[in-house]
Amino acid sequence: MTDRVYPSAKPKANGGAPAPAANGGSNPNKAQLYNNTRPMYRPQPPRRRRHSRSCCCSICLCTTMLILFLLLLAAIAGTIFWVLYRPHRPSFSVSTLQLSKFKLTDTAITSTFDLTLTARNPNKKIVFLYDPIAVKIFSGDITVGDGSFPGFTQATKNSTTLRTLISSSSPFSDGTDTSPLKSSLKNKNLPLKITLETKMKVKISMLKTKKLNIMVTCDGINISVPTGKSPTKTTPMDVKCKVDPSFKIMKWTV
């Protein structure tokens, strides 16, 4: 048999480090080469725009739906109120108007009117509570008389007669044009307009509303001017008074 001789194990150079390459270069690690060519990973911050937009859209949608729901409830409540109570505005008419004194000078007007009005409440279940009523009588743009009616309470389906004396002796303000009034006096026919201004509450069963502003205008009245001591009187049958109620919501008048 032939004996085989095996080479003895020799220690590695450089303290166990791998032998250098034949051309004098180093043998780089494959993992290091891979990491050097790969770009560094940087985590991106979470995107919140889409989330904020979706929240805004949801809030707008909820707000719109809430407003529509409240409007629907108001419409239903208004319909129920109308069916139960059938509310109507009060009405006013001029019963008689008497002029006993009217004198015009360059500086003032002296006049005395005797006015009778009729106020009607056409409602079956609604009561009106009036504050004192301010009355003014105009001829054109000039005030020829002012007075007032006391406040009163008007029951359902009721007609109330109001009577007062209206006079004027106040001087004209500077720049007042009295030529139209002088022309009417020459024709012995005085065109008049009556305005009423007051506030009132509406009572429905045990409930009272806040005060409403009421403006009443009675236009198209003509009366002859007295020539002597006898007063003139008119009964304006065709005069209809316009009633304009209004109330305030916050800073707005409706």
Side-chain angles (χ1 to χ4, degrees), residues 165-176:
L165 288 176
I166 300 174
S167 61
S168 176
S169 59
S170 57
F172 294 130
S173 58
D174 294 337
T176 302

Side-chain angles (χ1 to χ4, degrees), residues 30-43:
K30 291 183 178 181
Q32 292 179 354
L33 290 175
Y34 174 76
N35 291 334
N36 288 335
T37 58
R38 183 180 180 183
M40 182 180 295
Y41 172 74
R42 295 180 180 179

Side-chain angles (χ1 to χ4, degrees), residues 116-157:
T116 303
L117 292 178
T118 301
R120 295 180 179 86
N121 179 6
N123 297 281
K124 295 180 180 180
K125 299 180 181 180
I126 298 177
V127 177
F128 295 141
L129 295 87
Y130 289 93
D131 283 357
I133 304 173
V135 186
K136 286 189 177 182
I137 301 179
F138 295 89
S139 182
D141 296 330
I142 301 175
T143 303
V144 296
D146 57 78
S148 63
F149 293 111
F152 63 99
T153 299
Q154 192 170 34
T156 58
K157 302 296 288 185

Side-chain angles (χ1 to χ4, degrees), residues 10-31:
K10 293 182 180 182
K12 296 181 180 181
N14 300 329
N23 57 1
S26 61
N27 187 14
N29 194 324
K30 291 183 178 181

Side-chain angles (χ1 to χ4, degrees), residues 193-196 215-219 239-244:
K193 179 179 70 174
I194 301 174
T195 63
L196 314 175
M215 186 71 180
V216 182
T217 304
C218 308
D219 204 352
V239 175
K240 294 182 180 180
C241 298
K242 182 181 178 182
V243 180
D244 293 321

Side-chain angles (χ1 to χ4, degrees), residues 89-137:
R89 295 182 182 184
S91 63
F92 292 82
S93 62
V94 180
S95 300
T96 59
L97 178 63
Q98 180 175 302
L99 178 59
S100 58
K101 185 178 181 180
F102 195 91
K103 183 179 180 181
L104 175 64
T105 64
D106 294 333
T107 58
I109 290 177
T110 304
S111 64
T112 302
F113 292 89
D114 188 348
L115 174 63
T116 303
L117 292 178
T118 301
R120 295 180 179 86
N121 179 6
N123 297 281
K124 295 180 180 180
K125 299 180 181 180
I126 298 177
V127 177
F128 295 141
L129 295 87
Y130 289 93
D131 283 357
I133 304 173
V135 186
K136 286 189 177 182
I137 301 179

